[in-house]
Amino acid sequence: MKPIPVIAVFDVGKTNKKLFLFDENYRIVFERSARFLETEDEDGDPCENLESLRLAVFDSLHEVFRKPQFEVKAINFSSYGASFVYLDEDGRPLTPLYNYLKDYPDALAQKIYDQYGGEETFSKETASPALGSLNSGLQLYRIKEEKPGIFKKIKYALHLPQYLSFLLSGQYYADRTSIGCHTTLWNFKDNGYHRWVSRDGVIDKMAPICNSDEVFKSAFPGSPYVIGTGLHDSSAALIPYLFNFQDPFILISTGTWSISFNPFNHSELTLEELRADCLFYLSYKGTPVKASRLFAGYEHELQSKRIAAHFQVSTAKFRTVTTNWKTIKQLKSVDAVKSFSIKTFSERDLSIFEDYETAYHQLIMDIVEVQYIATKRVMDETNIHRIFVDGGFSKNPIYMSLLSEKFEHQEVFAASMAQATAIGTALSIHRHWNSNPIPNDLIELKFYAKNNFKTVS
């Protein structure tokens, strides 16, 4: 039997590391998942086990290559992007893969802010809210200031997706999706590296920038497959939507964070937006994507547990709660809250709710109020006609119904797609491995019609 042409995609998350094989119609034909125990850096802080990750890449590929039913045409990577791997002249890591949640010295952050116009000016120019180690450029700045000996030995600092690509291609390259995600490295107005990158000598540690749709030959002679550059996972998840929809849209990608992406709003980031946790990403095409972040999934999990404990029920009960417009109308009529935040529900007294269903409706109402505000911050109302929601909240009928009500001038859809990040990563290099047209049914949409709750008696 003729082997199936496939692309192998490694989707490396903080918790789960997955390998997918997609056929030419982007159907999953093989899947493997792994989890590694974290190790510690020299300060005793938890961090990714880089050596385990490296070995897992090669072990997984060896397993795939032993399967005669598949012909691997290409390999690509997506990963969380706010982490650097510092490589010496021989391509060996010089340090642990520091965790982006590692505490960052306030004095050191203040030092670079003071050099470049203050925190707000610096953050505005780089479209990067001050996030400590989550600003990966500041991680490199920290190496330079605190460990100059190691800094001197660095040949290239590669973001994790590009390091994974390097393992198979032997090529040192930087990618815009990783550079352009709250790193403090990129000046979005000038569309180039921020001046601090040159003035502080960091530019010498940055690999040449390549396009996200480029591929390289394998470092192993005789290998028939090509290697992609690797992508930041959030930008990769947006790619299927950019391929499938030409008219302007917003994607609300929900999980622990709910991130509203507007690929069609390129207006300069204002200080007000920055203070409200808005930022820019760079798409795989190198264009700015205005986004706002909300810690909604985390808060939902936290408050669901609080409700469950109060009413002595399992959180599994919430999965079957359907939208009750009579309850919503009743809650709206008595709610005195004027200014919502993601913490609004945490301040509510649960004893005022008659049952867990009512309390859960209030929780989702509060989250949707804040989500509406966050999404409106990045919306160009004259252009956006569709809002897509993917991830956990897309499966929540109360959330989706209420969101549709709030956005009365837009069509709201729950979008579902198996492994959006991995598919986006494969799509980015489609032309290099797949001669078929891109399928137009990759994304399944469920339309949520407006329901005027005021008419409910």
Side-chain angles (χ1 to χ4, degrees), residues 138-193:
L138 296 191
Q139 295 181 34
L140 186 50
Y141 179 74
R142 183 176 186 174
I143 295 286
K144 172 183 171 290
E145 293 294 309
E146 294 184 348
K147 299 178 180 179
I150 289 178
F151 184 80
K152 187 176 180 180
K153 293 178 183 178
I154 295 173
K155 177 179 175 65
Y156 286 122
L158 300 184
H159 280 103
L160 183 56
Q162 287 67 58
Y163 169 71
L164 296 172
S165 174
F166 158 78
L167 290 177
L168 299 183
S169 71
Q171 301 295 316
Y172 300 95
Y173 279 99
D175 160 73
R176 286 182 178 85
T177 66
S178 293
I179 296 170
C181 178
H182 53 71
T183 63
T184 71
L185 294 168
W186 199 252
N187 186 315
F188 280 79
K189 185 176 181 181
D190 296 342
N191 195 30
Y193 280 118

Side-chain angles (χ1 to χ4, degrees), residues 255-272:
T256 301
W257 288 90
S258 288
I259 306 177
S260 301
F261 295 101
N262 187 347
F264 307 92
N265 184 351
H266 302 158
S267 62
E268 189 174 347
L269 199 66
T270 67
L271 283 176
E272 181 183 359

Side-chain angles (χ1 to χ4, degrees), residues 89 138 238 240 279 339 367 395 435 438:
E89 285 283 346
L138 296 191
L238 185 59
L279 66 157
S339 179
I367 289 175
K395 302 173 184 66
S435 58
I438 294 171

Side-chain angles (χ1 to χ4, degrees), residues 218-248:
S218 169
F220 308 100
S223 301
Y225 48 83
V226 293
I227 313 297
T229 64
L231 296 167
H232 180 257
D233 53 10
S234 294
S235 296
L238 185 59
I239 291 174
Y241 295 88
L242 294 172
F243 269 99
N244 276 266
F245 303 105
Q246 304 305 314
D247 293 334

Side-chain angles (χ1 to χ4, degrees), residues 234-235 237-243 245-252 259-267 279-292 378-380 383-384 386 388:
S234 294
S235 296
L238 185 59
I239 291 174
Y241 295 88
L242 294 172
F243 269 99
F245 303 105
Q246 304 305 314
D247 293 334
F249 64 84
I250 280 178
L251 171 65
I252 305 177
I259 306 177
S260 301
F261 295 101
N262 187 347
F264 307 92
N265 184 351
H266 302 158
S267 62
L279 66 157
F280 270 124
Y281 288 73
L282 283 176
S283 76
Y284 83 109
K285 290 290 189 183
T287 56
V289 177
K290 187 170 276 192
S292 67
V378 299
M379 179 177 284
D380 181 351
N383 291 326
I384 301 298
R386 284 181 166 184
F388 303 118

